[in-house]
Every structure is written in C-alpha cells, then in structure tokens.
Amino acid sequence: NKEVMEEIIFHQGDIRDEKFLKKVFLKSLNNGYQIDGVIHFAGLKSVEESIKKPLIYWENNVLGTLNLLKILNLKKCKAFIFSSSATVYGTKNKSPISEDSNTKPINPYGETNLTIEKILESFYKSEETSISISNLRYFNPIGAHNSFRIGENPRGIPNNLFPYLCKVASGQINELKIFGNDWSTRDGTCIRDYIHVMDLADGHIKALDHLMTNDSQLINLNIGTGQGYSVLDLIKTFENINNVKVPFIFSDRRKGDVCKLVANNQRAKKILNWYPKRSIEDMCRDG
Ligand code: UD1
C-alpha cells in the first residue's frame, strides 16, 4: 500500500512501559490515524533464559501484553495478532500436531505464551470489545529476507539450531553439537518443521487481512509447513546449497527436547488461503 509505505512511523520503547504505549496510540490518533490492527511480536523467546530468569519472562511477556491490551482502544481496534509458539503444545502430542491438541508447556517461556493465549481468550469474550484475535503458533522459523538485509544474527552463542549452524558455517564457532543421535527417527536426530521467515511474514499479512474483513473471532493457527526435516537433513541441505562445510559432533540429548515436532497446518491453509511457498533449500540459502 503506497500510502502506508510513504509514512511508516517508528517509535522505540518498552512494552512494560504503559505510558509509552499510551503515547503511541494517542499520537497516532492525533495524527488522524486510528490503529486498526496490532501485531504483537514484543516477546522474549529463549527457553534457556526463561528457566534462568523466569521473572523477566513473566514481566515482559505477560505484563507487557496486559499493558498493550489495556491501551488498545477497546471497541475500535479490530484485529490483534499474537506471536505464539508450538512450544505451547509441550512434549506429549504426536506429530502432526493440530491446534486442538493438548497444551502443556514444559518451560517458563512456553507457560508465558499459553497464559497470554488464555488472557486473550477472556479479553475476546468480554463485552468491552469486538476485537478479532489470532494466536499464530510458530513452528521453527529460519532463513532471512532475500535482500539479505534482515536476518537472524543473535549476540553471543545462539541457542537455536539454525543461527548456530550459520555461525559454524562462517567459521565463528568451530563445530555444531547435535543433541542426540539415538532418537527414533530415520537418522537418529530430531525432526522439526522449519519454515521460511518470509512465509511466516506472509502468514501474518494473510491473518491480518482475514481478521479485518470477517466477523469477530478468535483463532489459533499453526504456522508451519507440515514437513519434517532432521537435524542432519538440515545440515546436509545447508552444505550442498551453500557449498560450505559444517563440522559437527554428536553430543547428549538436550533436556526438554522432543523427538519430532511437525505442524498440521490445514487450518491456516483453509482459513487464510495461505500456503508456505519456500523450500528447505530456500531457507538454507537465504539464511
Ligand atoms: C526451541 C524451543 C521452543 C521455541 C523455539 C523458538 C527448546 C527446547 N525449544 O525449539 O520452545 O519456541 O526454539 O525458536 O529450546 N539442536 C542441536 N544443536 C544445537 C541446537 C539445536 O542439535 O546446537 C537440535 C535440537 O535438539 C532440536 C533442533 O535442533 O532437535 C531444533 O532446535 P531449536 O532450533 O533450538 O528449536 P526447538 O528446540 O524446536
């Protein structure tokens, strides 16, 4: 949308700061723009850190979301999208996992996500609002924008596989540790549903369009490709497509890991008319 592209207004602040959030909404109104839709990405997302520093996770993720919801001009904001995670399902479900599967997170990060989903549900049901809400439950987003100007480059040692792999491939870290080769999978390594970040981005746009143009609703949607790849599959694909070596060793299983986590993504396909288009090769090349 040309009009939007000409004027993207950026405010930097902290979601825990109610005053700041209020200012953003007020300034927008004063400039003649009603905020119709909100996409909430302002969460902390490291499992390991959430175990070490749970209070920061509860404060930032849950309190921050409450701040945001309190300030949304209740009747007027039409759509709210929350970046949730497949981590809300816990470890007991059998893949492919549908949105109706049991939710039972096993770490504070996952607990905060599920708590937020519950808060959103009661907010949605309240009489104060006629908002539409979608919880997008991400599987394993990887890759980068294909301009290569926006991508994942965490400070310090990454926790997640893909940024770690990228740092090994570029020589910043010597070798990748694969957490276990004794899982009951084809090659003994864990299987995940990797999704290109740009397909994930498309999912948000489709979800926003859907919420803005339909009756008030609350929907949970899995955002994954529905295809599983093992850690070794990912390494081999990365090596082939980028013509680099990724040295690895096998080490012990990581606590809290699941053997296989793959989405049933039928609901997102049907409701949003959204189809992930990028292959595992695209993810590895762009990353
Ligand atoms: C992790 C989180 C999940 C969160 C997601 C955010 C855990 C247990 N789960 O998902 O809650 O929503 O990140 O992006 O942390 N692996 C290695 N070596 C590594 C790193 C990972 O072998 O150095 C393996 C893991 O065992 C796993 C796979 O790679 O099988 C993917 O791991 P990761 O990228 O951390 O994602 P998840 O564990 O699926």
Side-chain angles (χ1 to χ4, degrees):
N1 179 316
K2 193 163 172 285
E3 208 175 87
V4 176
M5 291 308 291
E6 275 168 9
E7 198 176 0
I8 293 176
I9 303 166
F10 174 70
H11 305 271
Q12 185 171 358
D14 189 318
I15 195 166
R16 292 168 299 183
D17 180 354
E18 245 183 282
K19 278 198 195 121
F20 160 75
L21 291 177
K22 208 174 260 170
K23 242 192 309 188
V24 173
F25 278 81
L26 276 180
K27 266 195 189 157
S28 168
L29 262 189
N30 290 341
N31 289 332
Y33 298 106
Q34 164 74 48
I35 295 181
D36 291 326
V38 170
I39 306 183
H40 173 18
F41 297 111
L44 297 173
K45 55 140 262 185
S46 158
V47 170
E48 210 181 343
E49 187 184 45
S50 80
I51 295 167
K52 287 188 191 135
K53 303 175 184 171
L55 298 187
I56 295 178
Y57 273 69
W58 288 101
E59 185 188 28
N60 183 85
N61 292 3
V62 177
L63 203 67
T65 305
L66 284 173
N67 286 342
L68 191 54
L69 293 176
K70 278 193 279 179
I71 286 155
L72 291 184
N73 12 18
L74 292 177
K75 290 267 183 215
K76 290 173 192 146
C77 183
K78 295 194 191 80
F80 189 89
I81 294 180
F82 171 56
S83 304
S84 190
S85 163
T87 190
V88 296
Y89 296 118
T91 55
K92 295 276 180 284
N93 296 298
K94 227 177 132 38
S95 283
I97 298 177
S98 81
E99 290 83 352
D100 299 324
S101 305
N102 249 353
T103 49
K104 202 173 187 321
I106 57 157
N107 52 62
Y109 161 63
E111 299 271 10
T112 63
N113 269 351
L114 188 59
T115 304
I116 294 165
E117 289 197 2
K118 286 181 180 160
I119 291 170
L120 288 171
E121 190 180 351
S122 47
F123 181 60
Y124 166 74
K125 286 180 179 159
S126 74
E127 281 162 16
E128 279 183 306
T129 175
S130 53
I131 202 164
S132 279
I133 296 174
S134 183
N135 296 311
L136 300 186
R137 294 175 175 166
Y138 305 175
F139 278 68
N140 289 62
I142 60 170
H145 188 268
N146 65 9
S147 68
F148 310 134
R149 295 174 67 191
I150 312 175
E152 192 180 14
N153 186 16
R155 270 164 280 180
I157 311 260
N159 295 309
N160 296 119
L161 176 62
F162 197 76
Y164 202 105
L165 193 158
C166 290
K167 291 209 186 229
V168 173
S170 64
Q172 296 171 65
I173 299 178
N174 290 340
E175 63 193 6
L176 175 74
K177 287 192 188 70
I178 298 182
F179 299 142
N181 62 346
D182 55 351
W183 297 92
S184 60
T185 61
R186 226 180 333 104
D187 59 24
T189 65
C190 290
I191 291 179
R192 292 291 181 275
D193 184 332
Y194 297 99
I195 176 159
H196 195 296
V197 281
M198 294 311 294
D199 278 325
L200 181 75
D202 289 343
H204 287 75
I205 295 170
K206 293 263 184 176
L208 196 59
D209 277 347
H210 174 79
L211 297 181
M212 300 293 274
T213 52
N214 285 281
D215 291 344
S216 171
Q217 58 192 281
L218 181 140
I219 32 171
N220 298 322
L221 295 171
N222 284 343
I223 302 291
T225 63
Q227 305 232 359
Y229 289 95
S230 73
V231 177
L232 281 173
D233 289 336
L234 192 73
I235 295 173
K236 295 290 165 234
T237 309
F238 192 99
E239 289 188 326
N240 288 338
I241 202 96
N242 294 313
N243 199 19
V244 286
K245 272 272 156 240
V246 179
F248 64 82
I249 54 163
F250 292 113
S251 75
D252 292 343
R253 291 181 177 194
R254 178 172 68 179
K255 204 170 147 243
D257 257 344
V258 202
C259 178
K260 185 175 176 190
L261 201 65
V262 175
N264 172 336
N265 63 2
Q266 292 306 317
R267 189 185 287 175
K269 283 181 171 165
K270 191 164 162 232
I271 295 184
L272 304 182
N273 191 25
W274 164 82
Y275 296 88
K277 296 188 204 88
R278 284 111 175 147
S279 65
I280 193 83
E281 285 81 11
D282 294 331
M283 299 178 214
C284 287
R285 191 195 46 243
D286 295 348

